[in-house]
Amino acid sequence: MNMLTDSEVRNLINSLKNCQKEIPNEIPLIGKIKDDTPVIDFKYHIQYKLHRYRNPIDDSRFSLHIRFKDSNEHLIRVDINNGTHLNPDRVKIPQNHMHIYHYDPDLSKDAVAVPLPDEISDLSSLFSVLTDFLIYTNTSAH
């Protein structure tokens, strides 16, 4: 899992994953959210965690991650209203963007950001983005 190719990463994102327990639904409408839900990919026998984080002051700022359980490295992360991102090639990416695991021995695996795909379009709340994110990552919520 330390040197995945882009093709392997795409296969992992597209592979069917299941949350092993219910994603917490009793959470505040405003304020901080920070939790992890165990996720498993039965095809590749990989354990992940679905990580949700919302800023304690600005509820329009949040991120969603699918992380490898063993290493805590991300497979994919969506950042909403967290500021622009400057890629290593100096290309500036808008504040709503996505990081997909990318192996480069000289960079962290989340050093490169890309614009959000069309499939993640309702950015009105963490909950609406979560719905699109689960569909995009082929993750069943239970």
Side-chain angles (χ1 to χ4, degrees):
M1 296 301 152
N2 291 327
M3 297 186 296
L4 297 172
T5 66
D6 291 345
S7 175
E8 290 169 326
V9 168
R10 180 57 41 204
N11 287 339
L12 293 177
I13 291 170
N14 291 335
S15 181
L16 180 62
K17 293 171 281 302
N18 278 306
C19 291
Q20 293 301 104
K21 66 178 190 176
E22 191 172 323
I23 298 170
N25 59 7
E26 292 186 20
I27 52 178
L29 292 176
I30 58 172
K32 183 177 181 177
I33 295 171
K34 185 177 181 183
D35 57 42
D36 293 319
T37 301
V39 173
I40 191 156
D41 178 322
F42 293 107
K43 179 179 180 181
Y44 293 107
H45 308 289
I46 298 172
Q47 293 182 348
Y48 299 100
K49 54 187 170 181
L50 169 64
H51 179 75
R52 300 184 307 165
Y53 176 79
R54 184 174 68 189
N55 184 283
I57 298 168
D58 181 355
D59 66 343
S60 72
R61 265 182 86 181
F62 56 88
S63 62
L64 298 166
H65 315 229
I66 291 185
R67 295 181 166 275
F68 295 99
K69 180 183 175 195
D70 292 339
S71 68
N72 204 38
E73 294 275 355
H74 81 280
L75 174 64
I76 185 170
R77 180 179 88 225
V78 169
D79 289 335
I80 304 299
N81 297 319
N82 283 330
T84 58
H85 179 87
L86 188 62
N87 279 336
D89 63 3
R90 311 300 295 164
V91 172
K92 191 175 191 178
I93 304 298
Q95 70 174 347
N96 299 321
H97 57 264
M98 184 165 62
H99 296 262
I100 297 174
Y101 175 111
H102 177 75
Y103 177 72
D104 181 319
D106 298 323
L107 301 171
S108 67
K109 292 178 182 73
D110 67 348
V112 176
V114 296
L116 288 177
D118 292 339
E119 294 90 340
I120 300 177
S121 59
D122 182 355
L123 307 182
S124 61
S125 74
L126 180 144
F127 311 103
S128 60
V129 174
L130 177 61
T131 299
D132 289 347
F133 182 72
L134 291 174
I135 293 167
Y136 185 81
T137 60
N138 205 17
T139 305
S140 171
H142 226 14

